[in-house]
Amino acid sequence: MTKQDYCGQFFKIPNSTASRGKSVYVRQEHHETFNRLTNIMGIDKLTIYAYLDNIIEYHFQEFGELISEIYNEKHKPLF
């Protein structure tokens, strides 16, 4: 992945807002890094929520099939 690809994937503004989501706790050191990163990028409306939302979306796109397979193995039907 190039720098340009990374920026296009992770520094985009999501369609939803944090006020419509749920609270999630992250380690203090990660929060500080996210805060510094989103503040210095100079992209209007790039928030920690937006950055993390993009990371999570990418993760589910990349690993969704594998996650589903693992989940289905652990949660088999009763009958």
Side-chain angles (χ1 to χ4, degrees):
M1 180 178 280
T2 66
K3 286 185 225 177
Q4 188 174 10
D5 293 338
Y6 186 88
C7 289
Q9 181 70 43
F10 298 111
F11 295 149
K12 61 186 176 187
I13 308 305
N15 294 330
S16 60
T17 62
S19 63
R20 301 190 81 201
K22 301 288 183 188
S23 295
V24 176
Y25 294 98
V26 297
R27 290 192 307 210
Q28 181 65 35
E29 66 237 45
H30 291 323
H31 187 275
E32 291 170 3
T33 301
F34 295 146
N35 197 38
R36 287 184 14 229
L37 180 63
T38 56
N39 283 335
I40 65 167
M41 290 308 296
I43 302 170
D44 191 34
K45 298 183 182 177
L46 179 63
T47 62
I48 292 173
Y49 164 79
Y51 185 60
L52 291 176
D53 188 66
N54 293 328
I55 290 171
I56 293 165
E57 183 67 27
Y58 180 81
H59 179 81
F60 286 149
Q61 287 173 1
E62 282 294 305
F63 302 106
E65 191 174 306
L66 182 59
I67 292 168
S68 291
E69 185 180 319
I70 293 166
Y71 179 86
N72 291 337
E73 287 174 1
K74 302 222 179 253
H75 294 84
K76 295 185 192 264
L78 290 174
F79 301 103

